Amino acid sequence: MAKHKIYTTSFASVYPLYVAKAEKKGRTREEVDQIIAWLTGYDPRELRARLEEQTDFETFFALAPRLNPSRVAITGMICGVRLEDIEEPTMREIRYLDKLIDELARGRPIEKILRET
């Protein structure tokens, strides 16, 4: 089976789009980074390293220090597909991140985005 093109896309090429989407709606780069840290366990130094290295999405998630076990609570639709129905692990991680950034851009409070009580 051929790899999905997004897997070989550098995370650094998409990261500015996440930030722009958030900032367009009055949110911040720091909030985007907070979401990424919550999802993947990357600290700011590690995140910058992945961005500078032009790490592809597949490697970005494979090297994640600690994928948050609470991420399975992220449900709903993204790109017309239910998150719960995505079987391929890397694509599911990418779509979790997409969903969290969408929630940020829609104005959802960061505590709710990060599934905190």
Side-chain angles (χ1 to χ4, degrees):
M1 183 168 88
K3 280 189 181 181
H4 197 284
K5 185 176 178 174
I6 188 88
Y7 297 174
T8 58
T9 300
S10 94
F11 179 77
S13 69
V14 178
Y15 175 80
L17 302 175
Y18 290 145
V19 172
K21 183 174 192 172
E23 289 178 342
K24 183 176 170 183
K25 298 294 185 166
R27 304 308 286 262
T28 67
R29 175 183 303 269
E30 291 75 21
E31 288 173 308
V32 171
D33 290 353
Q34 186 178 358
I35 286 169
I36 293 168
W38 178 88
L39 182 64
T40 64
Y42 283 114
D43 65 29
R45 181 189 55 76
E46 293 167 321
L47 177 58
R48 296 293 162 242
R50 296 293 84 75
L51 292 169
E52 289 171 9
E53 293 166 1
Q54 299 287 311
T55 304
D56 62 58
F57 268 98
E58 185 171 40
T59 305
F60 180 80
F61 284 107
L63 295 178
R66 181 182 172 274
L67 292 172
N68 192 316
S70 296
R71 72 195 188 286
V72 298
I74 304 167
T75 59
M77 300 282 285
I78 189 76
C79 300
V81 177
R82 292 205 73 59
L83 285 168
E84 307 88 298
D85 295 339
I86 300 172
E87 293 184 19
E88 205 294 311
T90 302
M91 183 56 73
R92 188 176 329 112
E93 301 304 335
I94 293 167
R95 295 307 181 202
Y96 282 153
L97 181 54
D98 290 345
K99 178 74 171 175
L100 295 175
I101 299 299
D102 282 354
E103 290 178 1
L104 182 68
R106 284 196 315 268
R108 190 166 194 209
I110 196 80
E111 299 78 26
K112 298 252 186 212
I113 295 169
L114 303 183
R115 278 55 182 174
E116 295 175 357
T117 40

